[in-house]
Amino acid sequence: MAQDRTALIAGLIVAGFAAGALGLVAALRTPPAAKRDAPPREAGAADRPVAPEKPAAVPAPPRTVAGPPAPDPLPAAPVAAPVAAPAGDDARVFESEFAAAALLVREGRFREAGLELDFLAERHPARAARLEELRVEAAHAAAAALASARALAEREPGPGITALRSLAARTSGEIAAAAEKDLEELVRRQHAADASEARARAEGLAAEGKFREAAEALEAAEPTLAGEEARAARDRAALLRRVARYAGAAPAATLASLDAALLTLLEDSVEAYLTTGSVDRRNAIHRSLQGIENLSLDLLAAVVLHGGTFEDVPAGDTVETYALPGGEKREVIVSVPRGYTPDRRWPVLIHLHGTNASLDLCRQWCPYYQDLSRGRFLVLQPVSARNSGWGPMKIGEQQAPAALRHARGRFPIDPDRVWIAGQSMGSHGTWHQAMRHGDLYAAFLPKSGTPYGAYGRNWKAYLDNLRLAPVWSIHGSKDPMFPIATPREFWAICDDRGLNVKHFEYDVGHEGAPETEIRKSFDWMVEQTRDVYPKSYSWTADHLDFMRCWWIEGTRFDDTIPRDRVQFSDQEKKPVETRMILQTPATFSVSVDGQEIRLKTTGLTKLRVLWSPHVVDLAKEVKIFVNGRQRWKGIPERSIRQMLEEARLTGRRDVVFYGSVEVDAK
């Protein structure tokens, strides 16, 4: 049409009919009256792409030639009425607009093409047959586009969803409805596939014991899911985060298959059993646990170790009160690190202050320990009473373990990454903990203090207890309170015995070391992990209260060994405690060879062996030898009652035992 029109106009110009040409151009345009009289068009019709008309060529004006002055102009001629366009001009307009509608069909803009065809049908009713042909063509093209989008969706759901969504927006009527329906079904299937893939990936991680990573995978997928799939993913992720606390304490398969209701029942039952003072209540809980079909003792042991209800508390420092075994109250400052969450186990540093330190003085150290932690561990600063120090009297030595038990009830503690450090009097206390409670800690950092004088004439016998966990000892060569000669002598003994004691001397005073070196010791500390349930170790003690270490406990001393009555005094020389101790400390050493447990003892007549699957296979026969003689043989008895009672009576939830047997050690 554009070419015909251009040729016609050019012919008129060549023939010199300029006025006729201008009239033709006016006729080819839609007269304003026609536009006003045209029926209103549907929304979007005004946007149809119609090829713009090229402006008609206008002959150049004649060149001006110099000559005589022009005569006065004649009066202006009246303006002629518009000349009606020839009949063929309507056909040209139709063809142009029809071509635009056909272009919309070819471009797949079927909704716009339909609106354009409706507009043309109103203006050109005589062209209905031609317009219907294009409608049929558009319908076939839309149907073909729908089939293509469906085929793409079968091959590649993601691009298929995009294609169907686009087609639904570009069509109307049955095709649009079909595309919307297919799109809805495809999105539903895609959500189901995404959910299935997310579950499969999460369960694969859970099977490997990576429960936190499994929860994160489901949480990342949740925004792409809908309805029940989203809710199921959210609930499963929450359960996996709860289960993550027990990773490594029970088989991964057992934990991965655990449901929320059973976990809640076990957690609530264990906490109630360990805290209630009612025998009837404990008996009822025991019966309830026995009634759980196929209850795994490994799972119950994991809950004893790591169970509890822990709140998501903000980072910061708080003063809390805890009780010693005898009921006496003490205060402890708890520093919660940045990034704390209750869905993981947290390491703990216990720091023991020096002489005469008050609660307010300990508070001043909180920023220092928060900086030292850098979000890596909790810090406990127990505040000692003046009449106890940190030992060797029992009430002094009980404070650090009691503060740890208190924190265990408030936070998910990692029992295998508990470290203890101390300055001056706190350093003495750190040595006491190493020699009395060595199986509680992963590392010791005593600074500016030694264990001399703590155990009277028996102190050297206790040194072998330092083999359980490593020690990083710091002392200043110019220390005016505890001269360097004493630590040097002590270090020499440790070196001679091959004990696990690193020692460092610095040219400073009672502060022990430059700050850069102190921070190095803490960086070393955080790398240390407790050697859990060792199969070979030894222990020394002169009182039955301290005769248990890991899974062996001396339960009776040889009555023929003489005792001493020892009186312990506080810092003001006032008597605090009187204790009967062996003049010669009792000892035991143990080693495991397969299913055989071999013990050597001195000063003991009775021993208790506590059963752990980390030491021997509890489903097979075990033999126990004491001082070369077989004292017991059989398959260990495992019991829910014994497991819970052991934790309740000792207050310890850093280890768990399935039962025990007492044997003669004469």
Side-chain angles (χ1 to χ4, degrees):
M1 284 296 297
Q3 292 175 349
D4 294 344
R5 183 164 48 199
T6 302
L8 176 59
I9 294 172
L12 292 174
I13 292 172
V14 172
F17 298 108
L22 292 173
L24 180 59
V25 170
L28 289 174
R29 294 176 178 159
T30 303
K35 292 185 178 179
R36 285 195 300 271
D37 298 338
R41 301 165 68 181
E42 295 184 26
D47 300 328
R48 70 186 189 280
V50 179
E53 297 180 1
K54 295 183 179 179
V58 179
R63 296 175 58 188
T64 302
V65 181
D72 293 335
L74 296 174
V79 178
V83 179
D89 297 342
D90 182 66
R92 295 187 186 94
V93 172
F94 172 79
E95 291 297 334
S96 176
E97 293 177 336
F98 184 86
L103 179 61
L104 291 173
V105 173
R106 289 195 298 274
E107 291 179 346
R109 297 160 65 180
F110 304 111
R111 186 191 299 273
E112 295 177 64
L115 294 173
E116 184 68 15
L117 289 172
D118 291 342
F119 172 73
L120 290 177
E122 291 177 0
R123 290 192 59 192
H124 307 281
R127 309 281 183 165
R130 181 84 178 278
L131 295 174
E132 183 59 27
E133 291 178 1
L134 187 55
R135 286 186 192 278
V136 172
E137 180 183 339
H140 287 311
L146 177 60
S148 177
R150 285 171 168 171
L152 178 61
E154 289 296 326
R155 298 192 308 273
E156 301 177 73
I161 288 175
T162 302
L164 286 169
R165 186 173 286 123
S166 171
L167 184 61
R170 292 184 285 111
T171 58
S172 59
E174 294 181 359
I175 296 297
E180 290 283 1
K181 183 178 180 180
D182 286 359
L183 179 62
E184 181 180 343
E185 175 61 19
L186 186 59
V187 168
R188 187 195 65 76
R189 284 172 20 208
Q190 185 63 39
H191 283 164
D194 290 344
S196 178
E197 181 180 352
R199 282 195 303 268
R201 181 169 181 269
E203 296 309 322
L205 290 168
E208 298 175 11
K210 300 176 180 178
F211 301 107
R212 186 169 292 104
E213 293 88 338
E216 290 170 353
L218 287 175
E219 290 164 349
E222 185 190 340
T224 68
L225 307 178
E228 182 62 24
E229 295 290 355
R231 187 197 63 77
R234 187 165 53 251
D235 291 348
R236 180 62 174 161
L239 175 59
L240 288 171
R241 284 199 174 277
R242 289 177 63 190
V243 168
R245 204 192 313 151
Y246 302 102
T254 300
L255 294 173
S257 62
L258 189 60
D259 65 74
L262 177 57
L263 179 57
T264 299
L265 174 62
L266 293 178
E267 289 177 337
D268 292 347
S269 298
V270 168
E271 294 307 309
Y273 190 100
L274 298 181
T275 56
T276 184
S278 168
V279 174
D280 290 341
R281 175 67 174 142
R282 289 198 295 271
N283 289 337
I285 293 170
H286 178 243
R287 288 193 298 270
S288 173
L289 292 173
Q290 283 186 314
I292 299 176
E293 186 176 359
N294 299 322
L295 174 61
S296 165
L297 280 181
D298 292 335
L299 178 58
L300 185 63
V303 175
V304 172
L305 279 173
H306 305 301
T309 301
F310 308 113
E311 298 179 359
D312 190 0
V313 301
D317 312 299
T318 59
V319 178
E320 301 182 9
T321 301
Y322 68 97
L324 298 180
E328 189 172 340
K329 302 296 183 181
R330 291 286 191 273
E331 289 179 311
V332 58
I333 301 175
V334 180
S335 295
V336 179
R338 298 182 301 274
Y340 169 82
T341 59
D343 63 348
R344 53 164 286 197
R345 300 198 293 265
W346 284 84
V348 175
L349 166 64
I350 301 175
H351 189 269
L352 308 182
H353 61 70
T355 305
N356 297 328
S358 64
L359 177 65
D360 289 338
L361 181 60
C362 290
R363 276 198 182 107
Q364 296 177 24
W365 283 95
C366 289
Y368 175 82
Y369 287 116
Q370 286 283 11
D371 177 66
L372 195 67
S373 169
R374 300 197 301 276
R376 296 177 293 177
F377 49 82
L378 293 125
V379 179
L380 306 181
Q381 292 187 76
V383 182
S384 173
R386 285 186 54 81
N387 68 340
S388 62
W390 300 113
M393 64 280 292
K394 190 186 301 183
I395 195 171
E397 291 183 358
Q398 289 174 339
Q399 292 175 115
L404 181 61
R405 283 195 296 272
H406 168 78
R408 168 63 181 78
R410 297 259 290 112
F411 305 95
I413 300 300
D414 183 349
D416 299 328
R417 300 185 69 198
V418 177
W419 315 292
I420 187 166
Q423 164 75 25
S424 189
M425 181 183 78
S427 176
H428 302 327
T430 301
W431 287 112
H432 299 334
Q433 291 298 307
M435 294 182 178
R436 297 289 206 192
H437 308 282
D439 58 348
L440 273 177
Y441 306 98
F444 304 91
L445 275 76
K447 184 174 59 156
S448 304
T450 67
Y452 274 117
Y455 306 105
R457 63 186 180 187
N458 291 335
W459 72 268
K460 288 185 180 180
Y462 275 92
L463 290 181
D464 282 339
N465 291 350
L466 298 178
R467 299 181 189 277
L468 285 180
V471 179
W472 185 299
S473 175
I474 291 173
H475 212 100
S477 61
K478 298 178 180 179
D479 190 330
M481 296 184 66
F482 303 107
I484 190 62
T486 300
R488 285 173 179 168
E489 180 184 356
F490 171 67
W491 290 338
I493 296 172
C494 292
D495 290 343
D496 184 58
R497 295 193 183 186
L499 303 180
N500 197 1
V501 177
K502 298 175 181 289
H503 48 84
F504 302 89
E505 177 182 323
Y506 299 97
D507 190 26
V508 296
H510 194 54
E511 67 272 25
E515 180 59 25
T516 54
E517 298 303 313
I518 292 174
R519 287 184 175 266
K520 283 182 182 178
S521 70
F522 282 104
D523 288 339
W524 165 85
M525 174 196 75
V526 298
E527 299 299 324
Q528 308 307 309
T529 301
R530 188 174 63 156
D531 182 15
V532 189
Y533 307 104
K535 292 189 176 184
S536 177
Y537 66 98
S538 61
W539 192 246
T540 298
D542 56 14
H543 193 279
L544 285 180
D545 285 349
F546 307 108
M547 202 65 233
R548 171 172 167 168
C549 180
W550 283 116
W551 49 278
I552 299 294
E553 178 183 16
T555 56
R556 185 171 179 178
F557 286 142
D558 185 341
D559 292 336
T560 64
I561 299 177
R563 269 80 162 170
D564 286 334
R565 181 181 297 274
V566 178
Q567 181 173 282
F568 296 93
S569 302
D570 63 16
Q571 296 172 8
E572 297 174 352
K573 309 301 182 183
K574 296 179 181 179
V576 175
E577 175 191 343
T578 299
R579 187 189 310 162
M580 296 296 295
I581 65 172
L582 297 179
Q583 290 183 359
T584 302
T587 67
F588 67 75
S589 62
V590 61
S591 62
V592 178
D593 182 10
Q595 292 291 101
E596 293 185 353
I597 298 173
R598 297 186 176 274
L599 286 147
K600 294 181 180 179
T601 70
T602 62
L604 291 167
T605 59
K606 290 283 186 181
L607 283 168
R608 192 161 68 111
V609 177
L610 296 109
W611 299 124
S612 168
H614 299 281
V615 178
V616 292
D617 187 341
L618 301 183
K620 298 179 180 179
E621 184 180 78
V622 177
K623 295 179 181 179
I624 300 176
F625 296 85
V626 181
N627 298 324
R629 296 176 59 187
Q630 181 175 309
R631 296 291 187 173
W632 188 87
K633 180 177 72 171
I635 297 177
E637 179 183 353
R638 292 165 286 176
S639 162
I640 293 175
R641 172 79 76 178
Q642 287 194 62
M643 180 184 293
L644 295 176
E645 279 296 289
E646 189 68 32
R648 185 183 71 84
L649 294 174
T650 63
R652 290 187 61 170
R653 296 182 67 174
D654 62 296
V655 288
V656 63
F657 298 105
Y658 292 55
S660 65
V661 63
E662 190 172 52
V663 297
D664 288 333
K666 293 180 181 179

